Amino acid sequence: MRAAVLAAALLAPALAPAQAVSDPTPLHYRDAAQEARFHALAAELRCVQCQNQSLADSNAQIAHDLRREVLLLMQQGHDDAQIKQFLVDRYGPFVLYRPPMDARNSVLWFGPAVLLLAGAGVLVWVVRRRSRQVQPIDTTGDGW
């Protein structure tokens, strides 16, 4: 029993996932308000490499670089809209977690609702059509 526990303890580090790479140069904020603004903005931006993580959550090297870039733009006096526009110009609208609605992506915004309504309409049509075709049940007992 002790040998199994010892073997498990020795093998556990080898089986554990690799440690995440930490950013070698930590970010320095002017004050707590700037830090809060930075974290809120980084949570609204998507990592361009991971594509399913926010810029704040990603551990990819490009995410580290983009966080430094965002902080630098903030310290240069750019507002959130200008920073977002800079990243959209550079990487496209996919970098935003909440892209603005326009003609190109309106199908993504309204498509599911239209498909749901169309499916409900087809279901109502089929049920009504079948209810007209149903024959009344013979209750006289002569059918046997």
Side-chain angles (χ1 to χ4, degrees):
M1 179 71 169
R2 286 184 183 178
V5 171
L6 181 60
L10 291 174
L11 291 176
L15 299 175
Q19 291 288 327
V21 177
S22 63
D23 191 2
T25 56
L27 301 174
H28 299 286
Y29 308 101
R30 290 184 188 147
D31 54 15
Q34 186 183 51
E35 183 177 2
R37 178 180 165 217
F38 172 80
H39 289 297
L41 183 60
E44 293 179 19
L45 299 170
R46 187 185 314 263
C47 175
V48 295
Q49 181 179 352
C50 303
Q51 298 182 358
N52 63 346
Q53 289 182 321
S54 71
L55 194 59
D57 296 334
S58 176
N59 231 0
Q61 184 60 43
I62 192 166
H64 293 295
D65 296 340
L66 285 175
R67 284 193 292 265
R68 277 190 226 97
E69 183 78 25
V70 167
L71 183 61
L72 179 66
L73 290 171
M74 286 175 64
Q75 290 172 344
Q76 291 174 352
H78 296 281
D79 64 359
D80 291 356
Q82 291 171 328
I83 294 170
K84 288 178 185 178
Q85 187 58 48
F86 171 77
L87 292 172
V88 167
D89 292 343
R90 197 173 202 186
Y91 298 106
F94 186 76
V95 76
L96 301 175
Y97 261 120
R98 287 178 277 162
M101 187 178 63
D102 60 6
R104 290 181 299 174
N105 62 9
S106 62
V107 171
L108 295 174
W109 286 90
F110 299 114
V114 169
L115 288 175
L116 185 66
L117 289 174
V122 167
L123 182 66
V124 167
W125 177 73
V126 167
V127 168
R128 285 186 178 174
R129 195 176 115 220
R130 286 191 179 184
S131 67
R132 287 187 213 130
Q133 294 175 352
V134 173
Q135 299 295 327
I137 298 175
D138 185 16
T139 58
T140 61
D142 295 337
W144 294 96

